[in-house]
Amino acid sequence: MYYGEIKKCDIANGTGVRVSLFVSGCRNCCPGCFNKETWDFQYGNPYTPETEQEILDLLKPDYIEGFSLLGGEPFEPENQAVLEGLLKRIKELYPEKNVWCYTGYQYDKDLKPGGKVYTKYTEEMLSCIDILVDGRFLEEEKDITLKFRGSRNQRILELGKERE
């Protein structure tokens, strides 16, 4: 897996101050996407054990509220095995921090058994995600007044509440 960027102090992609990982690879290719370069699965840098350790170290300070996972597309099947491991480590080391994930796929359609990108890693990934922002970015639904999403069709789902 490759990634485009690690943001060390992100305040735009979830609540509070966060660490964010922008993974590479996306087949949704939404017109008007703000991060088109990450559609390429080989864009940026290879994800290594050192990359993972850097992310885990960046999450240590108390002022960091959580972790955000974006893309590209985290739920592309090629990305899921690596990200499942990362998300599990984050939850083990930092159970008090929340995890947000942005996907162009639909939770109740594409990420369920038999869904477009469902793999043996999907359920474990979802079990580590507290807030999932789902749905393709639609330029005709773009609304810059929305918090934490780019278009009106996208949903902010509290997966953590489903587990309570």
Side-chain angles (χ1 to χ4, degrees):
M1 183 183 87
Y2 280 70
Y3 69 97
E5 183 179 7
I6 298 170
K7 286 195 176 181
K8 299 174 182 180
C9 285
D10 187 356
I11 58 168
N13 295 300
T15 55
V17 179
R18 323 184 60 71
V19 173
S20 295
L21 174 66
F22 291 78
V23 300
S24 296
C26 184
R27 292 185 179 89
N28 286 315
C29 303
C30 302
C33 174
F34 81 101
N35 211 5
K36 284 175 100 167
E37 61 274 1
T38 61
W39 294 355
D40 179 351
F41 281 83
Q42 305 298 309
Y43 174 76
N45 303 296
Y47 185 91
T48 65
E50 293 76 24
T51 308
E52 185 163 304
Q53 191 58 54
E54 177 185 358
I55 291 167
L56 296 172
D57 290 344
L58 288 168
L59 286 165
K60 280 182 187 173
D62 289 341
Y63 67 86
I64 299 292
E65 185 173 319
F67 177 73
S68 292
L69 183 57
L70 310 92
E73 174 55 60
F75 281 99
E76 290 297 359
E78 296 89 331
N79 293 337
Q80 288 190 38
V82 170
L83 295 175
E84 178 209 27
L86 171 63
L87 293 175
K88 283 170 69 174
R89 294 262 334 264
I90 290 169
K91 281 301 191 180
E92 288 167 9
L93 292 172
Y94 306 109
E96 74 284 1
K97 299 196 187 247
N98 61 56
V99 173
W100 283 56
C101 181
Y102 288 76
T103 180
Y105 293 108
Q106 291 183 300
Y107 172 67
D108 44 4
K109 180 180 171 193
D110 302 313
L111 303 179
K112 295 294 184 183
K116 187 175 184 177
V117 292
Y118 183 85
T119 73
K120 64 183 182 178
Y121 306 106
T122 307
E123 285 182 38
E124 190 66 37
M125 282 181 67
L126 290 168
S127 76
C128 296
I129 295 167
D130 299 294
I131 304 291
L132 182 73
V133 181
D134 82 339
R136 292 173 54 96
F137 171 75
L138 298 177
E139 210 161 17
E140 62 274 12
E141 297 276 333
K142 181 178 179 177
D143 183 345
I144 60 170
T145 67
L146 297 171
K147 286 182 90 171
F148 307 125
R149 56 196 176 116
S151 57
R152 288 184 297 277
N153 63 296
Q154 294 173 314
R155 304 180 296 177
I156 299 174
L157 304 172
E158 295 184 47
L159 300 186
K161 286 197 172 184
E162 284 187 12
R163 295 187 290 271
E164 292 175 359

